[in-house]
Amino acid sequence: MRIMVIGPSGSGKTTLLKTLGLTNNESSVRKTSFIQFFGKAIDTPGEFFDLPRFYHALITYSSRSAMILLLVDPTNLKQFPSRFVKALRSTVIGVINKIDLSSEEQINRAKRILQETGVKEVVCVSALTGEGITELRHKIASLAGGV
């Protein structure tokens, strides 16, 4: 099973994939400048989500994954396209990252934003500290047979 991560620049997509053990990259996390394929993951640049003219690439590559993690950083909320999830061709889990740096109010706003995109399942994590990662693994396993 391959998992694709989508989200705005700086939301922690690459760090999350590394924390989940889905990349073979042992080096430090750097800016993702192009779509990267790993055995079990697809990492996408934040600009592909930030700039609507790149949505077609995300939608097209979504067919190459069994599941999509749609990330949001509650400390730097950006506008998400309404009902965006309907255009994607895989199961989508909303992931609120950086909860170690966020207030409860910021997390609740992030949940509302994800729900407006059409996300039904939301998990809160900190890819940096590992908080919530076990719950995310269980959610992935329950929806798609495991990581």
Side-chain angles (χ1 to χ4, degrees), residues 14-34 36-41 43:
T14 304
T15 302
L16 179 62
L17 285 177
K18 190 172 181 178
T19 300
L20 288 170
L22 296 175
T23 65
N24 53 5
N25 190 352
E26 295 300 321
S27 63
S28 62
V29 174
R30 285 181 267 147
K31 172 92 182 92
T32 303
S33 50
F34 53 89
Q36 293 183 310
F37 289 85
F38 301 97
K40 294 184 176 183
D43 194 3

Side-chain angles (χ1 to χ4, degrees), residues 2-147:
R2 187 177 279 167
I3 295 175
M4 180 177 179
V5 296
I6 296 174
S9 298
S11 58
K13 297 175 297 296
T14 304
T15 302
L16 179 62
L17 285 177
K18 190 172 181 178
T19 300
L20 288 170
L22 296 175
T23 65
N24 53 5
N25 190 352
E26 295 300 321
S27 63
S28 62
V29 174
R30 285 181 267 147
K31 172 92 182 92
T32 303
S33 50
F34 53 89
I35 292 179
Q36 293 183 310
F37 289 85
F38 301 97
K40 294 184 176 183
I42 302 172
D43 194 3
T44 63
E47 288 79 13
F48 278 39
F49 190 82
D50 295 338
L51 303 170
R53 70 174 177 239
F54 291 118
Y55 289 172
H56 73 280
L58 297 175
I59 293 165
T60 299
Y61 283 103
S62 72
S63 66
R64 296 186 180 193
S65 63
M67 181 170 291
I68 296 169
L69 304 179
L70 179 57
L71 262 67
V72 62
D73 171 2
T75 67
N76 187 21
L77 287 175
K78 298 180 180 179
Q79 187 62 38
F80 278 41
S82 180
R83 308 319 259 157
F84 180 73
V85 168
K86 294 221 179 251
L88 302 174
R89 299 180 179 139
S90 303
T91 302
V92 179
I93 297 175
V95 179
I96 299 173
N97 193 18
K98 302 184 183 185
I99 60 170
D100 55 315
L101 305 173
S102 308
S103 69
E104 191 167 332
E105 180 183 327
Q106 290 172 316
I107 292 169
N108 288 333
R109 278 188 42 222
K111 282 181 186 176
R112 284 192 302 275
I113 286 172
L114 285 170
Q115 290 167 346
E116 288 171 7
T117 67
V119 169
K120 302 221 184 314
E121 304 280 343
V122 177
V123 179
C124 298
V125 303
S126 169
L128 192 61
T129 68
E131 184 180 354
I133 295 297
T134 301
E135 181 185 349
L136 178 57
R137 286 183 191 279
H138 289 305
K139 183 63 68 180
I140 291 169
S142 71
L143 293 176
V147 175

